[in-house]
Amino acid sequence: MVPVDYYIGLSAILFTIGALGVLIRRNSVVIFMSVELMLNAANLVFVAFARTYEAVSGQIFVFFVMTVAAAEVAVGLALIVTIFHTKQSIDVDQMNTMKW
Amino acid sequence: MTTQLILFFSLATLAVGTALGMLFSASAVHATLFLIMNFGIVAVFYLLLNAPFIALAQVTVYAGAIMVLFLFVIMLLGAERTGRTPSSWWLQPVALSLGVILLLEALYLVISQRGLLPVGGEVASTYGDPFSVGETLFRQYVLPFEVTSILLLVAMIGAIVLSKSRT
């Protein structure tokens, strides 16, 4: 097996790219996808450590993270569609009023 | 060992490249396609780490269902025309420097703990197959599994309430 350090390093790089995506991009759908990338980086470390310690529990947690991501995407995309219908834009810089 | 390292580094380069492609592509559709490629590559990593069930769940749930939902919403809204310039000029440099600091911190932690982490040896051939995953899921983690169903129900109701027209 490739040492687990390499997997942690790769996951750190992917997580940073995801965090940069959240900070830099202004399109809310792309921001959502960056969050998915960060969740995915965390999943990679879960599976790598599960393999290192030979414990299936790590893989089960990846399963739960996937479920939470699916729920989050369903609600988040519904929110984005609703915001688009009111403001005709999904740019996060436009979303600066609490109620329109 | 060497072939494994070559495989790891070529796949890692691809994963980082597709992630950067997602970060810098101007069109939201291209970003989605890059992210789907990234999820596929991570699924190959899961296969290398003896997690075939998780790898296939990754392909079907993430790269399949979730990303199709993203593509659907992007095409429904016509959201690929993106305002790329942020409202404040200082936002981008600050974000970049914060990202570099985060990366350096994480890599410093990894490098400073280099000798302390255990090295994985050979695992049993049954490790990570659907049978063992299912047995752990339905014996040890049966309560979280049931809570997950409530979470999905709440998400479903939330999506329906949010997208329902107000008239």
Side-chain angles (χ1 to χ4, degrees):
Chain A
M1 180 203 168
V2 179
V4 71
D5 313 19
Y6 292 3
Y7 281 102
I8 305 174
L10 172 65
S11 167
I13 295 172
L14 288 180
F15 189 91
T16 311
I17 294 173
L20 274 178
V22 171
L23 291 175
I24 290 178
R25 298 303 297 262
R26 300 289 91 193
N27 187 330
S28 47
V29 178
V30 180
I31 288 179
F32 247 103
M33 292 197 291
S34 304
V35 173
E36 296 298 314
L37 188 64
M38 291 200 278
L39 285 172
N40 213 42
N43 281 350
L44 186 60
V45 174
F46 262 128
V47 175
F49 273 111
R51 168 70 175 73
T52 310
Y53 289 103
E54 207 176 335
V56 192
S57 305
Q59 300 190 10
I60 306 290
F61 271 93
V62 173
F63 186 74
F64 288 135
V65 171
M66 278 184 191
T67 326
V68 172
E72 168 224 320
V73 163
V75 176
L77 287 180
L79 269 175
I80 289 178
V81 169
T82 317
I83 289 171
F84 184 79
H85 282 158
T86 15
K87 305 199 78 126
Q88 301 302 317
S89 165
I90 54 164
D91 194 322
V92 283
D93 283 336
Q94 307 288 322
M95 302 176 197
N96 46 12
T97 43
M98 291 290 277
K99 190 164 178 170
W100 189 251
Chain B
M1 190 65 189
T2 324
T3 41
Q4 274 195 337
L5 276 181
I6 293 170
L7 192 61
F8 175 85
F9 279 114
S10 47
L11 281 173
T13 316
L14 269 176
V16 173
T18 48
L20 285 175
M22 188 211 74
L23 180 58
F24 289 117
S25 63
S27 142
V29 177
H30 289 174
T32 316
L33 294 177
F34 272 124
L35 192 59
I36 292 175
M37 266 186 78
N38 187 278
F39 285 166
I41 294 162
V42 173
V44 178
F45 275 124
Y46 292 165
L47 279 180
L48 288 176
L49 288 167
N50 299 57
F53 176 73
I54 295 297
L56 286 185
Q58 165 97 354
V59 170
T60 50
V61 175
Y62 254 128
I66 294 183
M67 296 321 285
V68 164
L69 202 60
F70 270 110
L71 273 178
F72 182 74
V73 168
I74 289 171
M75 289 173 179
L76 180 77
L77 302 183
E80 65 269 15
R81 48 193 162 80
T82 57
R84 287 199 71 201
T85 48
S87 53
S88 315
W89 59 272
W90 48 267
L91 206 59
Q92 210 139 347
V94 169
L96 273 178
S97 44
L98 283 178
V100 168
I101 289 171
L102 176 66
L103 184 64
L104 287 181
E105 272 179 355
L107 290 184
Y108 170 73
L109 269 180
V110 174
I111 291 168
S112 64
Q113 313 238 325
R114 227 182 123 62
L116 306 174
L117 291 169
V119 180
E122 290 299 307
V123 287
S125 61
T126 54
Y127 169 77
D129 63 352
F131 181 79
S132 64
V133 172
E135 202 166 60
T136 316
L137 183 60
F138 290 115
R139 280 181 199 277
Q140 203 177 342
Y141 291 98
V142 70
L143 184 66
F145 180 77
E146 295 297 335
V147 174
T148 297
S149 69
I150 299 174
L151 175 75
L152 285 176
L153 178 70
V154 170
M156 193 172 72
I157 295 172
I160 291 171
V161 168
L162 281 172
S163 51
K164 191 181 59 155
S165 68
R166 281 175 208 156
T167 50

